[in-house]
């Protein structure tokens, strides 16, 4: 009893930051998940606890002249007793060079699955009420090893399909996932939203908290990438913005209004920030750094807070030989001491806490690989703590922002008299970032 009381008292600062009621709900969900593990209810309510699931993602390619623009990807659980569909996404396609491409993302617990790529028998988008035709399928498993650190993101090989090809009729009912499918039909994944506004409710603080505590629900309501202009501007450089823990793409609104966008097309990554960072980093690497989306082109990545930590881990993985500029703002490359104590004492530990713990494996291994000659890094730190606490920005101590490895690999360092959040609304910081971007443009003229 005494230890539990001490744990709760210690965790109060973390709970205040990350909303105490949501945290207590996470504790209850972990207990419920353990009680139903392996049952039908477990798979129907999969990923009540994020760390019980591996991230599965893949790229689907269609011929450029294929008339289909929307397909479905359905996950079927192969359990030997009650084989059935347990999840689905509807994906839209966008032209990319000489073909059309789309992407799917699932979180799945330990089990054996078959992923089906489907079309309707009449080519419509009504996947709930039509006969479904199989275009492609692939079988695989999620094992306990896949849930370990640095192993919990599974990237499947590209699927080349054609809506003119038919393998067989889809043999399973979608009755149990009709509600999920209805949501997917209204908001298909795989393409960049057009005319998206940063004032949209999908970028609200409420949704950010959902990303901390309910990653599966968050992923159903959002897309992993948003293009922040109606169309891609030919010949421009992708500018990819990555928010921090508890943040959303809305955090970049001021910055976007004060940066010269003539030479850039802006994109925002949107991710559940309570998720395990190694899983997120693997996805970031595949979709941002390895040319799967931004093929054969230089790119700029600007990341705030813990977003910078995830991006730095992504640079440890397989990389492109196209030039990248990485700019971090107030990123805690040295980890978080409070998270370390929370990992030791909390009744339930958010996956992200293990990732940011300053004595954990993730942070200790963050600089295991050096940046390549194609990768330029610029470090921005913040130091206005409003006269309270240790030197830093009121949230991240300077010693965590200026970890020696980060300091040494940076082309330059620049500090701003801002706190942890005000830096993304700083005109001075925006002007400095703009200068870095324009220099990158000069070094990478249009082809």
């Amino acid at each position: 009893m005494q230890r539990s009381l001490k744990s709760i008292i210690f965790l109060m600062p973390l709970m205040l930051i990350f909303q105490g009621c949501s945290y207590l709900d996470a504790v209850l969900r972990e207990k419920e998940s353990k009680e139903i593990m392996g049952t039908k209810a477990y798979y129907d309510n999969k990923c009540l606890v994020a760390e019980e699931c591996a991230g599965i993602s893949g790229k689907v390619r269609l011929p450029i002249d294929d008339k289909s623009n929307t397909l479905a990807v359905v996950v079927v659980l192969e359990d030997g007793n009650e084989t059935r569909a347990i999840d689905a996404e509807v994906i839209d396609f966008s032209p990319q060079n000489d073909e059309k491409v789309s992407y799917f993302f699932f979180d799945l617990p330990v089990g054996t699955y078959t992923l089906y790529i489907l079309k309707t028998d009449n080519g419509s988008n009504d996947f709930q009420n039509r006969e479904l035709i199989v275009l492609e399928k692939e079988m695989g498993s999620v094992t306990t090893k896949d849930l370990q650190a640095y192993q919990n993101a599974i990237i499947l090989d590209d699927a080349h399909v054609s809506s003119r090809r038919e393998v067989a009729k889809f043999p399973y009912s979608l009755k149990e996932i009709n509600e999920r499918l209805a949501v997917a039909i209204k908001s298909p994944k795989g393409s960049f939203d057009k005319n998206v506004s940063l004032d949209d409710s999908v970028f609200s603080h409420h949704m950010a908290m959902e990303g901390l505590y309910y990653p599966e629900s968050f992923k159903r309501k959002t897309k992993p990438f948003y293009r922040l202009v109606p169309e891609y501007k030919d010949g421009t450089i992708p500018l990819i913005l990555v928010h921090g823990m508890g943040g959303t793409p809305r955090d970049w609104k001021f910055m976007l209004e004060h940066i010269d966008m003539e030479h850039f097309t802006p994109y925002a990554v949107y991710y559940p920030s309570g998720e395990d960072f190694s899983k997120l980093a693997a996805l970031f690497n595949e979709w941002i750094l390895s040319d799967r989306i931004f093929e054969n082109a230089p790119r700029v990545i600007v990341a705030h807070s813990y977003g910078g930590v995830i991006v730095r881990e992504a640079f440890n993985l397989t990389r492109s030989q196209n030039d990248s500029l990485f700019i971090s703002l107030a990123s805690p490359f040295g980890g978080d001491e409070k998270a370390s104590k929370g990992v030791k004492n909390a009744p339930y530990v958010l996956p992200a806490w293990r990732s940011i713990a300053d004595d954990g494996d993730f942070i200790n291994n963050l600089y295991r690989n050096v940046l390549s000659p194609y990768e330029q890094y610029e470090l921005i730190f913040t130091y206005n703590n409003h006269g309270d606490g240790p030197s830093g920005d009121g949230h991240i101590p300077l010693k965590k922002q200026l970890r020696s490895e980060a300091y040494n690999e940076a082309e330059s360092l620049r500090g701003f008299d801002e706190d942890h959040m005000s830096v993304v609304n700083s005109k001075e910081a925006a002007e400095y970032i703009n200068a870095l971007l324009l220099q990158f443009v000069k070094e990478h003229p249009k082809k």
Side-chain angles (χ1 to χ4, degrees):
M1 180 69 179
Q2 186 177 12
R3 178 188 170 117
S4 299
L5 182 60
K6 287 182 178 178
S7 298
I8 292 172
I9 292 172
F10 170 77
L11 287 167
M12 284 304 294
L14 280 174
M15 292 171 68
L16 288 172
I17 293 171
F18 299 124
Q19 291 200 348
C21 291
S22 296
Y23 176 77
L24 294 176
D25 183 58
V27 175
L28 296 175
R29 279 187 287 120
E30 184 196 35
K31 183 176 183 294
E32 178 187 352
S33 184
K34 288 180 179 178
E35 291 173 351
I36 65 173
M37 187 169 290
T39 68
K40 180 178 182 295
Y42 178 73
Y43 287 100
D44 290 343
N45 297 281
K46 63 185 180 64
C47 306
L48 285 172
V49 180
E51 60 193 326
E52 292 177 353
C53 290
I56 313 293
S57 62
K59 185 174 187 177
V60 183
R61 297 176 180 266
L62 275 174
I64 192 68
D65 61 347
D66 198 304
K67 293 183 179 180
S68 289
N69 285 315
T70 305
L71 299 176
V73 183
V74 175
V75 179
V76 170
L77 171 67
E78 307 282 358
D79 66 2
N81 297 314
E82 193 179 357
T83 299
R84 67 192 191 284
I86 64 167
D87 207 348
E89 281 187 6
V90 176
I91 56 174
D92 273 353
F93 289 81
S94 297
Q96 189 177 103
N97 299 325
D98 58 350
E99 59 188 352
K100 296 192 288 189
V101 299
S102 190
Y103 310 89
F104 60 84
F105 302 83
F106 294 103
D107 276 321
L108 299 174
V110 170
T112 300
Y113 305 94
T114 302
L115 270 68
Y116 290 84
I117 300 175
L118 307 173
K119 70 172 184 178
T120 55
D121 59 349
N122 67 346
S124 73
N125 297 342
D126 185 4
F127 292 92
Q128 292 176 287
N129 302 305
R130 301 296 308 184
E131 187 173 85
L132 301 179
I133 307 298
V134 178
L135 303 179
E136 188 65 79
K137 66 178 182 178
E138 181 174 344
M139 190 171 184
S141 297
V142 175
T143 68
T144 53
K145 182 180 178 181
D146 295 320
L147 304 185
Q148 297 172 8
Y150 307 111
Q151 297 288 335
N152 53 8
I154 301 171
I155 313 297
L156 301 179
D157 292 336
D158 292 358
H160 294 262
V161 303
S162 168
S163 67
R164 293 184 287 269
R165 181 176 64 201
E166 297 186 5
V167 175
K169 294 180 181 178
F170 183 63
Y172 304 105
S173 170
L174 298 181
K175 180 179 178 181
E176 295 191 11
I177 57 170
N178 262 345
E179 184 177 338
R180 296 181 189 180
L181 199 57
V183 173
I185 291 169
K186 290 179 181 178
S187 181
K189 292 183 182 290
S191 65
F192 300 110
D193 268 7
K194 294 182 179 180
N195 297 316
V196 63
S197 168
L198 289 177
D199 293 322
D200 193 291
S201 61
V202 74
F203 301 132
S204 68
H205 175 71
H206 174 78
M207 189 61 70
M209 292 300 101
E210 192 159 339
L212 272 173
Y213 292 103
Y214 309 95
E216 185 70 8
S217 172
F218 174 91
K219 291 172 188 175
R220 291 187 193 127
K221 298 175 183 177
T222 64
K223 296 187 179 185
F225 300 101
Y226 289 82
R227 187 176 60 218
L228 302 180
V229 292
E231 301 292 340
Y232 171 76
K233 295 182 289 183
D234 189 44
T236 59
I237 296 172
L239 171 62
I240 303 147
L241 303 168
V242 185
H243 63 77
M245 185 177 289
T248 82
R250 187 180 293 174
D251 297 345
W252 298 106
K253 186 174 183 180
F254 178 91
M255 200 70 69
L256 285 168
E257 291 171 351
H258 290 80
I259 288 179
D260 183 355
M261 301 304 299
E262 177 185 355
H263 304 286
F264 297 93
T265 297
Y267 299 82
V269 176
Y270 201 16
Y271 64 97
S273 57
E275 183 68 276
D276 180 276
F277 280 16
S278 57
K279 182 190 297 186
L280 294 171
L283 292 173
F284 280 27
N285 177 268
E286 285 295 320
W287 306 121
I288 298 176
L289 300 180
S290 67
D291 297 335
R292 292 175 69 90
I293 291 181
F294 305 107
E295 296 182 3
N296 304 316
R299 73 288 315 258
V300 175
I301 305 161
V302 182
H304 177 236
S305 185
Y306 292 98
V309 177
I310 299 170
V311 172
R312 182 58 185 85
E313 169 61 18
F315 276 112
N316 284 322
L317 310 176
T318 305
R319 291 167 285 186
S320 165
Q321 292 190 353
N322 291 302
D323 291 339
S324 298
L325 169 62
F326 169 35
I327 304 170
S328 69
L329 289 79
S331 292
F333 296 112
D336 190 310
E337 183 180 358
K338 293 187 184 72
S340 297
K341 293 178 180 177
V343 169
K344 295 180 179 69
N345 296 288
Y348 169 67
V349 177
L350 293 181
W353 291 4
R354 289 196 175 92
S355 301
I356 63 176
D358 65 358
D359 59 356
D361 290 341
F362 184 92
I363 289 296
N364 287 336
N365 292 318
L366 188 59
Y367 288 88
R368 64 189 181 278
N369 293 327
V370 299
L371 295 180
S372 81
Y374 301 99
E375 295 156 355
Q376 175 186 344
Y377 172 53
E378 304 287 346
L379 190 157
I380 294 174
F381 63 94
T382 47
Y383 55 84
N384 189 338
N385 65 357
H386 303 288
D388 185 26
S391 60
D393 61 12
H395 185 63
I396 307 297
L398 273 179
K399 67 178 181 179
K400 300 299 186 182
Q401 297 182 57
L402 298 176
R403 178 173 172 170
S404 60
E405 295 96 327
Y407 181 97
N408 291 332
E409 74 180 10
E411 295 286 328
S412 65
L413 292 88
R414 177 69 183 270
F416 290 94
D417 186 14
E418 301 287 347
D419 64 34
H420 192 65
M421 287 307 302
S422 70
V423 67
V424 295
N425 297 304
S426 163
K427 185 177 179 181
E428 187 180 5
E431 290 173 349
Y432 177 70
I433 291 172
N434 197 51
L436 293 175
L437 299 185
L438 293 178
Q439 181 59 39
F440 190 74
V441 169
K442 289 180 182 178
E443 295 169 358
H444 300 83
K446 294 181 183 179
K447 294 183 180 180

